[in-house]
Amino acid sequence: MNVRDKLNLIVPLYNPHAGWEDNFINSISELKDELKETELTVILVNDGSTIQLNDIEKMTDRFNFLKYYSYPVNKGKGNAIRYGIGISEADFYIYTDTDFPFGHKIIAQTYQVLKSTKTNIVIGTRDMSYFKTLPFKRRIYSFLLKELNYFITGFKIKDTQAGLKGLDNNARKVLADTKINTFLFELEFLKSSVKQGLSYEFINISCRPGLKFTNFSFRILLKESISLLKLLF
């Protein structure tokens, strides 16, 4: 009897756009078909959404590999990822966003890189076409952050914020020890991983057609700036 590898896909959820369920259902269905030889578990973490979420029970009834968890107060993406990655042990872990911004095939490819290379981390990196689609404020912020990332990680990694990472259990332990709850938890995670000598591979990612971006509010930018200062000093 062949023992199948276990893969946990962690998906944080916070106030998703209307109609998010259709794309989410299609994406996890296609991913399940893509990874027939893998024991896939999708862990959906509701990070204190303040809007009504419909059809969650229908989705979990339909897909026995989908697990839903929720807590009442929004704590940030970093907390949601740590929460989801700590729920159950697997051989490998991948996290992405609720709208599957890079599609489902790149998740299967990330998994294959983790398996075949025995690397600790697979890091999604975005090309210039991605950044050109961002709202102006986010584009400027992302450009400046990429340059700072390179410095903070010891001139190793520029694009830390792509929102798609694959991990083994060694990397999972490093991520579990991060403290930042905002989006910059990824920079903290990769900085610590480099410092501890974990191995990593890059995988190129691009946006799926029709993806819509929101702009950052001043409140979010302020919180991210505070998190960045904590990493710098």
Side-chain angles (χ1 to χ4, degrees):
M1 179 179 177
N2 293 329
V3 178
R4 298 191 299 169
D5 285 328
K6 295 181 179 179
L7 170 64
N8 287 354
L9 177 68
I10 294 88
V11 185
L13 175 70
Y14 177 68
N15 288 354
H17 60 78
W20 70 276
E21 300 94 343
D22 290 341
N23 179 64
F24 180 79
I25 288 170
N26 290 338
S27 296
I28 64 172
S29 298
E30 291 169 343
L31 182 62
K32 183 66 173 177
D33 289 341
E34 194 94 13
L35 299 175
K36 287 186 175 69
E37 303 304 316
T38 303
E39 188 176 327
L40 174 67
T41 300
V42 177
I43 298 173
L44 184 62
V45 180
N46 179 7
D47 181 29
S49 292
T50 58
I51 63 174
Q52 181 67 38
L53 299 176
N54 299 315
D55 298 330
I56 295 292
E57 188 173 344
K58 289 181 181 178
M59 285 193 286
T60 53
D61 286 344
R62 177 178 173 184
F63 302 108
N64 61 6
F65 61 93
L66 173 62
K67 310 299 180 185
Y68 174 72
Y69 300 88
S70 177
Y71 44 83
V73 179
N74 175 246
K75 298 181 179 179
K77 185 177 180 180
N79 185 84
I81 296 294
R82 283 193 299 270
Y83 184 95
I85 217 165
I87 284 171
S88 63
E89 190 167 339
D91 298 295
F92 304 104
Y93 312 82
I94 297 173
Y95 63 80
T96 191
D97 296 321
T98 314
D99 55 358
F100 282 73
F102 314 113
H104 74 279
K105 287 187 177 295
I106 194 65
I107 295 172
Q109 292 168 20
T110 298
Y111 170 65
Q112 294 303 328
V113 173
L114 280 169
K115 284 188 61 175
S116 63
T117 64
K118 304 298 182 183
T119 192
N120 300 123
I121 310 168
V122 177
I123 303 169
T125 57
R126 301 162 290 184
D127 58 20
M128 284 307 298
S129 64
Y130 173 93
F131 291 98
K132 289 178 181 177
T133 62
L134 292 175
F136 180 74
K137 196 190 302 182
R138 283 188 64 172
R139 194 184 314 168
I140 296 299
Y141 178 80
S142 296
F143 173 78
L144 294 174
L145 185 57
K146 280 184 71 175
E147 299 308 312
L148 277 173
N149 289 346
Y150 199 44
F151 170 73
I152 292 172
T153 60
F155 305 101
K156 302 289 185 182
I157 305 168
K158 270 197 171 185
D159 190 7
T160 65
Q161 306 304 122
L164 176 71
K165 305 287 185 299
L167 297 78
D168 70 358
N169 275 296
N170 290 318
R172 178 199 189 201
K173 292 175 184 175
V174 177
L175 179 56
D177 287 336
T178 58
K179 305 299 181 186
I180 292 175
N181 284 339
T182 66
F183 293 102
L184 284 178
F185 82 95
E186 295 193 277
L187 176 53
E188 181 189 11
F189 163 56
L190 292 177
K191 178 189 176 186
S192 297
S193 298
V194 169
K195 187 176 181 180
Q196 295 184 38
L198 269 61
S199 61
Y200 52 89
E201 299 278 345
F202 297 106
I203 189 168
N204 292 325
I205 55 180
S206 56
C207 293
R208 63 176 176 79
L211 186 66
K212 294 181 180 180
F213 295 93
T214 56
N215 220 331
F216 284 155
S217 67
F218 176 77
R219 182 178 64 85
I220 291 175
L221 287 174
L222 180 60
K223 288 178 68 175
E224 295 291 351
S225 298
I226 292 170
S227 297
L228 186 59
L229 288 172
K230 289 178 181 178
L231 287 171
L232 283 168
F233 302 104

